[in-house]
Amino acid sequence: MKTNRIVNPLGFELGKPHLSYVACETPAAKQIAARIEVSLNAQFEPVFFDTGRSEEINSLAYEIPFPLEPRTRYYWRVTVWADNGDVATSEAAWFETAKLQERWEADWVAPKMDNNIHPVIGAEFVLSKEVKSARAYICGLGLYEMELNGKKVGEEYLSPHFNAYDKWLQYQTYDITEMLRPGANSVDVLLGNGLYKGRFGFNGGESDIYGDRFALLCEIVITHPDGTATLIRSDETWRAKMSRIVESGLYDGEFYDATLADDALYGVEKIDIGYERLHARKSLPVIIHEILNPIEVIITPSGETVLDMGQNMVGWVQFLNRAPKGAEILLQYGELLQDGNFYRDNLRSAKAEFRYVSGGEEGWVRPHFTFYGFRYVKVIGWTEALDPKDFNGCVLYSDMEQTGNIETSDPLVNRLFLNALWGQKGNFLDVPTDCPQRDERMGWTGDAQVFAGTASFNMDTYAFFAKYGYDLWQEQAAWDGRVPYVVPDATVHEGGSSAWGDAATVIPWTAYLHSGDPAILEQQFESMKTWVDYIKRIDDASGARRLWSEGFHFGDWLALDGVGPSSPIGGTETAFISSAYYCYSSMLVAKAAKVLGKAALADFYEELSNDVKAAIQAEYFTPNGRLALDTQTALVVALFMDLSPEKDRAKIANALKVRLKKDHNHLKTGFVGTPYLCRALSKSGYPDLAYTLLLNKDYPSWLYAVTMGATTIWERWNSVLPDGKISGTDMNSLNHYAYGSIVEWMYRFMAGINPVESKPGFKHVRLSPQPDFRLQYVKASLESAAGLYESGWELSEAGKLSFRFVIPFDATATVELPDAKLENVRVNGMPLQHMAISAEQDVKGVLAELTSGTWKFAYIPEVEYIKYCSSQMTLIDLLRIGEAKKALFDVLPHLEQFPQDMISNLGTNSLRDLSTKAFMKIPAEALDALDIKLKSIKNLAD
């Protein structure tokens, strides 16, 4: 049970709350009615709002129809009636409002201290009455941690998080009822620099970006059993003192001196920040989700002591301090070792360290106002024998539920999935950053856009993206529709690139598709529309050709087919990419308008999209249907965004197949082409090629990094070279999730779980797995907005296909059984054609319509799935399979003497093709003999 896709939200800006729920553990197939009750207490005595039994309630999004009161907790429960007579009533869930439009009694205050000294601002107060409930409403700038009676308030860190502070400020709400005590109490708020006033940005960064003074706003409202209330508020009676945090910064880390004992009190003064920008929180809490223990203590060849956490992670290491007073301990953070030694030149100017001076007291120590991206931690100054049990790695990211999981028979593919998941954990820390470790850590819109689909399968990202989308719109509105490259736009102040700016349309549409809640489209529609309007204005000003050929664009960023090895922009014409996104985003606006009932706007933007498509076809496609651009990304984008004439789609797909053959069936795509590469192949009838790209282990490929020991996704296809050396330090993050977008293909095509636009939120799905014999099995699960889906397949040694699907209550699915013959399919042990299931033979297999339940299908496919080697394979592929390579040289030993460059040049041809060349001299009988040896060897390079 969730409110705005959050479990029991406290103090969030809720707007018109949307309630959603999932009913489970019933043999019933569908909901026939539901009832929602709302009360001000958990006993529902009395119920003040009751829908009654209704057939209109949608489990994905029921909008509360009554106005909300400030600072009020609303309890709600759901009763569901099922088609088999089952009835169930939920336990109570709740949401609690913040101050809403209530006037603030507290003042913004700042310490009367040097602006560079980290302060602790606080007050003491006495409670003479019993406490019924108590809430703190607080915002501290840049970052804050609140303590009551010496204990940290709440489980979240780095509040109030990261947003465009010049446009809006967030305050948090905390339930502090159990932390208060009769008599004397104290409140203290530690403040740190953060993005607000700390160093941030390129080329050394800037400071005081949004403000140059620490500031605090705090109201504590205490309610007593007699109905009275006590208000504790920040004002000029509060006092400040020096913090033991000497320095803090997102890039450089933190310096904490526990020996500081300056208890001198300083005054505070009102500061003119105002209340107009204040909002109740939109950011999800950033919390510690996992604790990792070091897997090894390494003494490097240079004599350094280094902790290996075994996983590239984001957060910090906390340690148990036993050092004597005055002893200094230094932790430095890095992502990899070089020549066995600690290394972090790729962090550029970021110091990424935690400096601690011991106060002589035993206890756990951690930083407060920073975070690190790291696997390795260099420990300096430890005063006794180092015990790894004294160190814990705290994994920090926004509080999102993990919803998806994938497992296969290939441990490298499983590790790739985990790498993408860990990349999301590390970079979804309030803002979808590009990287979490070096002097950048920015909310690049392009990275978020290409990864949004994968992210939304992996986790419930609705609330996370709703906050990011709001921030994006605040920045975009100030630029008359142009979307900045990064959000929040603290220092870059540039924007307008295709694929990057299209985060404005792609992300909200993705969130809607996964949640089924149109509120995200309502919130973001002006942003979506205004982005396309911005592109159209540029187009109109340059001749209204319905192409986007003006301005700077990142293009297919970091692709491998650029003009030279040092060029980060790929070889695909940027005007083609920009025009493609112009077409794509226009159609997304049309779709959003249709969902929201804006028929005239839907027609306008659909027509615009069609006009752009026609212009693209006139400019880039020949009359015979060939694409004028012969790059992987151009062909992939044309297929994925449906840019070619329908009659020529097969020709474009074949051109992609030919292009890949020229590239030795290895990818060359960058940020634009990579997310769609395997999806375009699978959708166009070449799933075998998609699997080949997935399963390649040599550079460039996804699994190359896995074979090199990567535990997250790299920024570059060759961030680390085969010899273990880093390939460069200028722009080389080892935790950069964009290429992890392959995981969306894994969910959609490998496992076959596809949402359907006409029934979003997974109320109906298309289960269409595409098995490949190079994997023996695949299992995927998805805790969708509609409930738990499972989809898996297994291919036996005898070539039998088995599928298992789980469809949740009140959902349906169209299942596609590939290469199946209806009369040969068995389901749950019975012949499919004898079951009361709607099923039909299709040219590609069997289609079946399923309702809630667990379904097991089995059959022998009509085509042979297990493929074996032969002389018809390319020479390169034969040489990639150990057994085949041995057979080849046994029969044709002279080929072993061929120079490697000749093999590279000729290797895309088969031996049968090459045998016609005079210099090869391969008799037909020798090839026949080779085929006899090869026919029992699986073609794992296919």
Side-chain angles (χ1 to χ4, degrees):
M1 298 173 67
K2 296 182 179 181
T3 304
N4 293 6
R5 303 297 307 165
I6 306 169
V7 175
N8 298 339
L10 172 63
F12 278 77
E13 185 163 285
L14 297 172
K16 298 177 181 178
H18 281 208
L19 309 181
S20 61
Y21 59 90
V22 171
C24 54
E25 296 183 16
T26 172
K30 60 186 294 187
Q31 170 184 303
I32 59 172
R35 174 190 187 187
I36 292 178
E37 300 168 274
V38 183
S39 177
L40 296 180
N41 60 66
Q43 293 73 43
F44 291 85
E45 297 175 355
V47 171
F48 83 84
F49 174 79
D50 188 347
T51 65
R53 176 176 166 139
S54 170
E55 297 178 4
E56 305 301 319
I57 292 174
N58 180 354
S59 66
L60 298 177
Y62 175 81
E63 185 177 298
I64 289 289
F66 54 82
L68 302 178
E69 295 296 321
R71 297 186 292 107
T72 302
R73 178 168 291 192
Y74 296 89
Y75 294 87
W76 62 282
R77 66 186 179 191
V78 182
T79 300
V80 172
W81 286 265
D83 59 349
N84 69 344
D86 280 359
V87 182
T89 299
S90 71
E91 297 293 323
W94 55 264
F95 59 90
E96 183 175 320
T97 57
K99 290 174 63 65
L100 300 181
Q101 302 305 314
E102 239 183 12
R103 180 176 177 272
W104 281 85
E105 300 294 334
D107 297 322
W108 280 104
V109 295
K112 294 180 179 178
M113 301 164 64
D114 185 293
N115 292 345
N116 294 316
I117 296 176
H118 285 57
V120 179
I121 300 177
E124 296 181 349
F125 56 95
V126 175
L127 288 178
S128 57
K129 290 185 176 183
E130 187 179 344
V131 175
K132 180 182 179 182
S133 67
R135 301 291 184 268
Y137 305 93
I138 178 172
C139 179
L141 301 172
L143 302 173
Y144 74 88
E145 283 191 14
M146 182 183 187
E147 294 180 353
L148 269 174
N149 299 319
K151 295 183 179 180
K152 183 182 181 305
V153 173
E155 296 181 349
E156 66 181 285
Y157 299 87
L158 304 174
S159 301
H161 310 303
F162 309 110
N163 55 271
Y165 302 104
D166 56 336
K167 298 175 176 63
W168 65 293
L169 300 170
Q170 304 183 71
Y171 67 90
Q172 285 70 42
T173 303
Y174 299 99
D175 182 347
I176 57 171
T177 307
E178 301 301 321
M179 301 188 71
L180 296 174
R181 59 195 181 196
N185 290 265
S186 63
V187 54
D188 292 289
V189 182
L190 291 70
L191 295 169
N193 285 319
L195 175 63
Y196 186 78
K197 67 183 295 291
R199 179 172 82 91
F200 194 81
F202 294 123
N203 300 318
E206 304 173 26
S207 297
D208 301 337
I209 296 168
Y210 294 105
D212 60 359
R213 299 191 69 183
F214 294 105
L216 173 68
L217 178 73
C218 180
E219 278 186 9
I220 298 174
V221 180
I222 305 166
T223 303
H224 305 291
D226 62 6
T228 62
T230 299
L231 175 67
I232 311 297
R233 66 187 185 94
S234 55
D235 59 18
E236 290 180 303
T237 66
W238 285 38
R239 293 290 179 264
K241 60 182 179 181
M242 289 179 59
S243 172
R244 291 180 173 179
I245 300 171
V246 180
E247 298 173 0
S248 73
L250 298 180
Y251 293 162
D252 295 329
E254 188 169 300
F255 176 20
Y256 189 99
D257 189 346
T259 65
L260 290 179
D262 186 350
D263 294 324
L265 296 179
Y266 299 80
V268 301
E269 58 188 359
K270 294 181 183 180
I271 185 171
D272 185 20
I273 291 177
Y275 307 97
E276 297 79 10
R277 287 178 287 160
L278 270 176
H279 289 254
R281 69 179 310 153
K282 292 180 179 291
S283 289
L284 291 169
V286 171
I287 66 173
I288 295 173
H289 287 264
E290 303 169 54
I291 299 291
L292 302 183
N293 297 314
I295 65 169
E296 186 181 4
V297 177
I298 301 170
I299 304 300
T300 73
S302 297
E304 307 155 311
T305 301
V306 175
L307 302 175
D308 179 1
M309 304 307 297
Q311 171 65 54
N312 196 332
M313 56 169 284
V314 172
W316 53 65
V317 164
Q318 62 181 11
F319 60 86
L320 182 58
N321 176 59
R322 299 188 188 89
K325 185 175 182 178
E328 183 172 309
I329 297 169
L330 178 64
L331 305 185
Q332 295 181 328
Y333 293 80
E335 289 190 292
L336 77 165
L337 304 178
Q338 293 285 268
D339 296 322
N341 295 313
F342 185 72
Y343 176 89
R344 57 184 188 151
D345 288 356
N346 65 316
L347 306 193
R348 300 187 303 213
S349 71
K351 291 182 181 178
E353 63 184 27
F354 178 56
R355 186 180 299 272
Y356 175 76
V357 178
S358 175
E361 298 178 355
E362 180 174 327
W364 287 94
V365 174
R366 64 164 175 90
H368 298 75
F369 300 126
T370 192
F371 63 91
Y372 312 90
F374 64 100
R375 173 172 173 168
Y376 298 97
V377 184
K378 179 179 174 181
V379 182
I380 301 172
W382 199 254
T383 56
E384 54 188 27
L386 192 147
D387 185 343
K389 294 179 181 178
D390 291 340
F391 296 83
N392 290 326
C394 300
V395 180
L396 207 66
Y397 58 94
S398 290
D399 191 14
M400 297 171 291
E401 172 195 2
Q402 183 178 339
T403 50
N405 189 63
I406 293 175
E407 178 190 328
T408 78
S409 59
D410 189 329
L412 296 181
V413 175
N414 297 341
R415 184 66 246 186
L416 174 63
F417 168 77
L418 290 175
N419 287 2
L421 182 64
W422 275 98
Q424 182 171 351
K425 292 177 181 181
N427 283 289
F428 275 43
L429 195 154
D430 192 51
V431 172
T433 56
D434 61 327
C435 60
Q437 73 296 86
R438 69 184 180 216
D439 54 357
E440 193 165 345
R441 311 186 193 193
M442 297 177 181
W444 283 93
T445 49
D447 301 59
Q449 183 265 125
V450 300
F451 192 71
T454 291
S456 299
F457 274 105
N458 283 342
M459 298 180 182
D460 186 345
T461 58
Y462 183 93
F464 180 87
F465 278 140
K467 180 266 179 181
Y468 185 66
Y470 180 85
D471 221 1
L472 185 149
W473 173 232
Q474 299 304 303
E475 300 279 24
Q476 179 190 3
W479 281 14
D480 198 22
R482 181 177 62 160
V483 176
Y485 299 149
V486 300
V487 172
D489 184 24
T491 60
V492 177
H493 309 314
E494 296 180 20
S497 170
S498 61
W500 275 245
D502 294 282
T505 57
V506 172
I507 291 177
W509 182 256
T510 300
Y512 165 70
L513 188 62
H514 280 258
S515 68
D517 190 344
I520 188 71
L521 298 180
E522 293 174 3
Q523 174 185 301
Q524 296 301 125
F525 185 73
E526 283 303 309
S527 169
M528 298 174 74
K529 173 180 171 296
T530 304
W531 167 243
V532 173
D533 291 345
Y534 166 79
I535 303 170
K536 185 175 178 294
R537 283 200 308 274
I538 295 174
D539 170 24
D540 289 343
S542 58
R545 299 170 57 221
R546 294 299 171 254
L547 297 171
W548 189 10
S549 55
E550 304 295 319
F552 169 79
H553 301 274
F554 289 102
D556 194 22
W557 188 249
L558 296 184
L560 300 175
D561 57 0
V563 294
S566 61
S567 173
I569 299 178
T572 305
E573 184 181 319
T574 57
F576 174 77
I577 293 173
S578 302
S579 299
Y581 269 103
Y582 184 8
C583 176
Y584 188 52
S585 280
S586 298
M587 186 57 74
L588 291 181
V589 173
K591 290 179 178 180
K594 185 176 181 180
V595 171
L596 298 175
K598 303 175 185 291
L601 287 174
D603 291 343
F604 176 84
Y605 287 98
E606 183 173 355
E607 182 178 353
L608 175 62
S609 179
N610 290 334
D611 288 346
V612 176
K613 182 188 289 189
I616 290 171
Q617 290 176 359
E619 179 74 14
Y620 292 102
F621 290 84
T622 70
N624 290 327
R626 295 180 63 188
L627 180 60
L629 306 176
D630 185 28
T631 66
Q632 290 183 20
T633 290
L635 293 160
V636 164
V637 168
L639 290 168
F640 180 81
M641 297 187 181
D642 193 25
L643 301 178
S644 69
E646 184 60 32
K647 66 180 179 62
D648 298 321
R649 181 177 177 86
K651 185 175 290 187
I652 300 302
N654 185 67
L656 177 58
K657 178 182 179 181
V658 172
R659 177 68 263 169
L660 282 166
K661 184 176 181 181
K662 293 177 182 175
D663 295 329
H664 308 304
N665 283 347
H666 281 67
L667 55 79
K668 287 193 172 183
T669 51
F671 275 35
V672 168
T674 297
Y676 311 132
L677 175 57
C678 288
R679 291 178 65 181
L681 287 167
S682 287
K683 192 174 181 181
S684 301
Y686 297 111
D688 54 336
L689 269 177
Y691 273 99
T692 294
L693 294 174
L694 171 73
L695 297 173
N696 283 336
K697 298 180 184 66
D698 54 336
Y699 167 81
S701 68
W702 284 282
L703 294 186
Y704 166 71
V706 177
T707 65
M708 292 297 295
T711 61
T712 42
I713 302 295
W714 293 345
E715 181 172 12
R716 295 176 179 269
W717 294 114
N718 66 337
S719 285
V720 179
L721 302 175
D723 63 1
K725 298 294 186 183
I726 193 164
S727 61
T729 59
D730 178 54
M731 193 172 64
N732 203 350
S733 156
L734 301 189
N735 192 351
H736 219 94
Y737 57 75
Y739 290 150
S741 53
I742 182 61
V743 168
E744 184 172 10
W745 172 85
M746 294 167 70
Y747 280 110
R748 286 178 174 268
F749 291 94
M750 189 172 77
I753 305 175
N754 286 278
V756 175
E757 288 186 359
S758 61
K759 293 185 178 180
F762 293 86
K763 279 297 187 181
H764 183 79
V765 302
R766 200 165 186 92
L767 294 171
S768 52
Q770 295 182 341
D772 187 283
F773 81 100
R774 287 166 284 182
L775 298 178
Q776 286 74 57
Y777 71 87
V778 165
K779 294 188 290 187
S781 63
L782 179 66
E783 288 280 3
S784 76
L788 174 65
Y789 282 92
E790 294 181 19
S791 179
W793 56 262
E794 185 174 353
L795 180 64
S796 73
E797 286 293 328
K800 181 181 179 181
L801 273 175
S802 302
F803 296 89
R804 181 180 181 275
F805 304 114
V806 174
I807 302 167
F809 171 74
D810 203 35
T812 57
T814 300
V815 169
E816 298 180 9
L817 301 173
D819 303 307
K821 197 170 185 178
L822 183 59
E823 54 264 38
N824 296 335
V825 177
R826 299 181 72 84
V827 55
N828 293 350
M830 300 290 290
L832 173 58
Q833 58 186 355
H834 296 163
M835 301 284 285
I837 295 173
S838 174
E840 64 181 16
Q841 188 70 51
D842 180 75
V843 66
K844 295 181 180 179
V846 169
L847 298 179
E849 300 297 329
L850 302 180
T851 57
S852 173
T854 299
W855 305 90
K856 298 178 181 179
F857 294 85
Y859 58 93
I860 299 293
E862 293 301 293
V863 300
E864 181 64 60
Y865 266 62
I866 300 175
K867 299 179 182 179
Y868 296 93
C869 296
S870 77
S871 59
Q872 300 289 352
M873 292 173 57
T874 67
L875 178 57
I876 280 183
D877 283 344
L878 276 176
L879 292 174
R880 289 168 64 196
I881 302 170
E883 287 182 84
K885 181 179 180 180
K886 182 178 184 303
L888 174 63
F889 292 151
D890 283 347
V891 175
L892 302 169
H894 68 283
L895 293 184
E896 196 167 4
Q897 308 306 317
F898 276 36
Q900 187 58 46
D901 59 346
M902 178 182 287
I903 296 293
S904 298
N905 291 329
L906 299 175
T908 55
N909 298 281
S910 72
L911 283 174
R912 291 284 178 179
D913 293 334
L914 292 172
S915 66
T916 61
K917 312 293 184 184
F919 62 87
M920 292 296 283
K921 298 179 181 177
I922 305 177
E925 55 269 25
L927 292 176
D928 293 340
L930 177 62
D931 279 333
I932 292 173
K933 282 179 169 285
L934 293 176
K935 68 179 183 179
S936 62
I937 301 172
K938 288 183 179 179
N939 179 9
L940 298 176
D942 189 14

